[in-house]
Amino acid sequence: MADSSFDIVSKVERQEVDNALNQTAKEISQRYDFKGVGASISWSGEKILMEANSEDRVKAVLDVFQSKLIKRGISLKALDAGEPQLSGKEYKIFATIEEGISQENAKKVAKIIRDEGPKGVKAQVQGEELRVTSKSRDDLQAVIALLKGKDFDFALQFVNYR
């Protein structure tokens, strides 16, 4: 019988992020506490730019955006937001969406699977993802449960389960 496998990836659906951003922009335009503070959120190339005329208001924009991401099922671990910076009279926060598992993080995950996972489970790094294979599907389920129980500083998804 062939080995069963699944891939561990760190991907974010761009359309969902875009929808969360548009919902945030709409809420900012309608909420009373954002009137007259020049609050805005938009794409700036590959980054997300949040602006307002005070540090508290720009942090509130980030908070609204984070709540919209959560509602859309996107892990906040994928969002890398900087600190508010004063630019002229405006405060700005630049945020990026992190995708892919770095080599060192992939090695950490593979080591956890080797050390704590069931015997006979193999993990190999393939670019920005990790392929986990085993003869037993139960062992693969155990690996998924093990990794879900760990607290990584990056988002993980399990795909291509076969």
Side-chain angles (χ1 to χ4, degrees):
M1 189 172 116
D3 285 359
S4 299
S5 69
F6 68 89
D7 294 335
I8 301 173
V9 297
S10 182
K11 288 193 171 121
V12 175
E13 204 167 315
R14 174 96 174 180
Q15 185 61 50
E16 289 296 326
V17 174
D18 204 35
N19 291 343
L21 188 133
N22 291 335
Q23 285 179 334
T24 303
K26 186 174 181 182
E27 184 170 322
I28 289 169
S29 70
Q30 293 174 344
R31 268 180 42 181
Y32 178 75
D33 57 335
F34 285 114
K35 294 278 187 250
V37 295
S40 68
I41 183 169
S42 61
W43 286 103
S44 173
E46 284 297 307
K47 294 185 175 189
I48 298 165
L49 172 63
M50 293 163 262
E51 298 178 295
N53 66 2
S54 74
E55 189 174 344
D56 291 341
R57 288 293 94 202
V58 79
K59 284 182 178 177
V61 172
L62 176 62
D63 191 45
V64 171
F65 183 55
Q66 287 175 335
S67 71
K68 299 298 180 192
L69 287 174
I70 290 169
K71 284 183 182 172
R72 294 212 153 266
I74 297 171
S75 171
L76 291 183
K77 292 177 180 177
L79 180 71
D80 182 23
E83 289 298 311
Q85 301 166 339
L86 184 60
S87 172
K89 293 182 179 177
E90 297 266 304
Y91 280 89
K92 297 181 179 186
I93 294 179
F94 284 100
T96 55
I97 301 296
E98 302 283 325
E99 288 195 296
I101 301 174
S102 70
Q103 288 291 328
E104 65 186 55
N105 286 339
K107 286 178 183 172
K108 279 185 209 169
V109 173
K111 182 169 175 27
I112 287 172
I113 292 171
R114 260 195 324 275
D115 294 347
E116 300 176 32
K119 297 281 181 247
V121 176
K122 294 183 206 75
Q124 52 200 161
V125 179
Q126 296 179 331
E128 292 190 336
E129 58 184 46
L130 203 66
R131 166 82 37 99
V132 181
T133 56
S134 173
K135 296 225 182 280
S136 163
R137 287 182 167 222
D138 291 342
D139 288 350
L140 294 180
Q141 293 284 348
V143 168
I144 291 174
L146 169 75
L147 294 177
K148 282 185 176 177
K150 298 285 181 190
D151 187 30
F152 295 106
D153 56 350
F154 52 96
L156 290 180
Q157 291 89 32
F158 307 100
V159 297
N160 296 337
Y161 186 82
R162 10 180 129 76

